[in-house]
Amino acid sequence: MIADHLPAALMLLLLFDDLSADMGTTPNLKQIVLGRCFSYVTLISPGSRYNCEEIWREFRNAVIQRAPCNVRVKDYSRMFHASPQALPCDTLLFWSKTREFVHSYSAITRRFCTLEDTLVGYMFNDLIWCGQKEKHRGFDFISCPEWSTCANHPVYSLWKQASQNFAASACGNITVILNGSMENAFNRTSMFGSVELDGLNPRMVNHVNIKVVANLEGPIIDSCTKGSILNLIQILKTRGFRWTCTDTDMTLLILQCIQNPRQLSCQIFHNNML
Ligand SMILES: *[C@@H]1O[C@H](CO)[C@@H](O)[C@H](O)[C@H]1NC(C)=O
Ligand SMILES: *[C@@H]1O[C@H](CO)[C@@H](O)[C@H](O)[C@H]1NC(C)=O
Ligand SMILES: *[C@@H]1O[C@H](CO)[C@@H](O)[C@H](O)[C@H]1NC(C)=O
C-alpha cells in the first residue's frame, strides 16, 4: 500500500537493501579473484612468484568442502601456505572504523601498506563467499549466512587469518588509525583489538604510532587522553611496546579538509591551499 506512493528510485533502494541482507557469493567470484591475483603479480608487485591458479584451488577447496557456517581459520592454511608474503618494515598501517579514510590516506601518501594492499587482502577485498549446505556442490550464489549467525563464517575466518599473518609480520614502526568520533574507538572485539593487537611481536615492533581522527563536525568522543584509547595504551605498555599517540595529525586534517573543504575547522587552510 505504502509502496504505491514511493518514487521508483526509492523502491529500488529498498529492494536492494533487502537483498543485501541476504546476499550470496559475489557473482563471477573466480574471475574476480583470479583476475586480481594476476593483476597483483603482474602490475602491482611484478617479479613476485605466486601461483594464482593454485591459490584459487586451495581457496575453493577450503570453502566448498564444508558447510557454509563451518569453515575454520585453519581450513585456509593450504591457501595461505600458497601465498606467503614478507612486508617491508615501518610501513604497516592498521585501522578500525576508519576504513575508507585510511585507504585514501594510504593511496595519497604511498608510504603505507594496509591489509588490503597485501596479495590476499587485495584478492578478497569486498567479496562474499560461502559453500552450500550439501558439501561439494560449489559456491552458493543465492544466499550466504550472516557473520553473526555463524560459528565459523568462511569470510570471517579468512580475514581473521589474514589479519593474524599481517600483524605477525609487522616490524619497525607501525601506525594505527582509530576513529575518535566513535564510542570505543579501540574495541577489544574488533579485528584490530582482538586479532591484530595480540599478533604484534614486541621484539619486532619498535613503535606503535596511534593516530586518532574524529569527524570535523564532531563529536569528539575518544582521544589520546580520553576513553578507550587509554585502554589500548595500557595494553601496549603492559606488553612492553613503545608507543606514541596524536589526535592532531596535520596530514590527516589536510586530507579531511580536502574531502570536505567547507568545514569551519578547515578555514585555516583557505586562501592557502584548498
Ligand atoms: C568515524 O565513524 C563515523 C561514524 O560511524 C563515520 O561517519 C566517520 O566517517 C568515521 N571517520 C573516519 C575518519 O573514518
Ligand atoms: C618510529 O617512530 C618514532 C616515534 O614516532 C619516531 O621517532 C621514529 O623516527 C620512527 N622511525 C621510523 C624509521 O619511522
Ligand atoms: C565492538 O565491536 C563489536 C564488533 O564489531 C561490536 O559488535 C560491539 O558493539 C562493539 N562494542 C562496543 C562497546 O562498541
Side-chain angles (χ1 to χ4, degrees), residues 97-99 101 179 181-182 213 215:
K97 314 275 164 47
T98 50
R99 176 195 168 106
F101 183 71
N179 189 330
S181 291
M182 299 272 306
V213 51
N215 297 343

Side-chain angles (χ1 to χ4, degrees), residues 38 45 123 175 224:
F38 282 115
S45 181
M123 285 168 65
T175 306
C224 290

Side-chain angles (χ1 to χ4, degrees), residues 24-273:
T25 300
T26 308
N28 307 309
L29 181 75
K30 179 179 181 179
Q31 289 82 352
I32 295 172
V33 169
L34 272 174
R36 285 180 177 178
C37 183
F38 282 115
S39 164
Y40 196 91
V41 301
T42 311
L43 302 171
I44 296 176
S45 181
S48 52
R49 294 193 178 181
Y50 293 106
N51 183 337
C52 291
E53 306 270 4
E54 184 192 350
I55 299 172
W56 165 259
R57 220 167 23 245
E58 297 296 359
F59 165 75
R60 183 174 180 279
N61 287 342
V63 177
I64 68 164
Q65 288 178 359
R66 295 172 182 92
C69 273
N70 194 29
V71 182
R72 293 156 305 175
V73 164
K74 69 171 192 195
D75 295 327
Y76 286 113
S77 63
R78 293 172 68 102
M79 187 204 83
F80 280 99
H81 195 72
S83 52
Q85 192 165 22
L87 301 168
C89 292
D90 299 312
T91 62
L92 296 207
L93 178 57
F94 297 79
W95 52 266
S96 190
K97 314 275 164 47
T98 50
R99 176 195 168 106
E100 297 283 316
F101 183 71
V102 160
H103 290 134
S104 312
Y105 177 63
S106 165
I108 287 171
T109 56
R110 298 174 136 254
R111 242 178 346 111
F112 293 108
C113 173
T114 66
L115 178 56
E116 293 72 18
D117 297 312
T118 66
L119 173 64
V120 170
Y122 183 81
M123 285 168 65
F124 294 100
N125 196 12
D126 286 330
L127 304 180
I128 298 172
W129 61 88
C130 65
Q132 303 192 34
K133 285 205 185 67
E134 293 147 66
K135 293 177 221 164
H136 299 290
R137 297 192 58 187
F139 292 97
D140 188 337
F141 288 97
I142 308 294
S143 87
C144 286
E146 300 227 2
W147 286 32
S148 54
T149 61
C150 265
N152 294 294
H153 194 286
V155 177
Y156 180 79
S157 293
L158 183 139
W159 285 111
K160 186 171 177 192
Q161 184 63 55
S163 301
Q164 224 151 30
N165 295 349
F166 184 68
S169 73
C171 50
N173 283 3
I174 65 160
T175 306
V176 51
I177 301 187
L178 300 175
N179 189 330
S181 291
M182 299 272 306
E183 252 356 300
N184 294 301
F186 170 66
N187 178 338
R188 204 62 168 111
T189 65
S190 68
M191 202 62 103
F192 173 71
S194 64
V195 176
E196 292 170 334
L197 180 59
D198 293 337
L200 296 172
N201 182 345
R203 284 193 301 274
M204 285 165 59
V205 172
N206 278 336
H207 280 91
V208 178
N209 294 321
I210 307 164
K211 295 176 194 286
V212 186
V213 51
N215 297 343
L216 292 171
E217 69 276 17
I220 297 178
I221 299 174
D222 277 9
S223 69
C224 290
T225 51
K226 190 156 80 95
S228 63
I229 313 274
L230 296 178
N231 302 339
L232 170 58
I233 292 171
Q234 191 52 51
I235 292 171
L236 292 174
K237 279 182 180 163
T238 308
R239 292 193 51 208
F241 287 102
R242 281 182 291 261
W243 58 276
T244 65
C245 185
T246 174
D247 35 39
T248 54
D249 186 280
M250 193 49 86
T251 311
L252 294 178
L253 176 62
I254 291 172
L255 177 56
Q256 283 182 294
C257 285
I258 289 171
Q259 293 178 342
N260 208 347
R262 289 183 200 289
Q263 277 295 325
L264 234 74
S265 34
C266 296
Q267 295 202 337
I268 48 168
F269 298 121
H270 277 203
N271 310 325
N272 290 324
M273 49 185 302

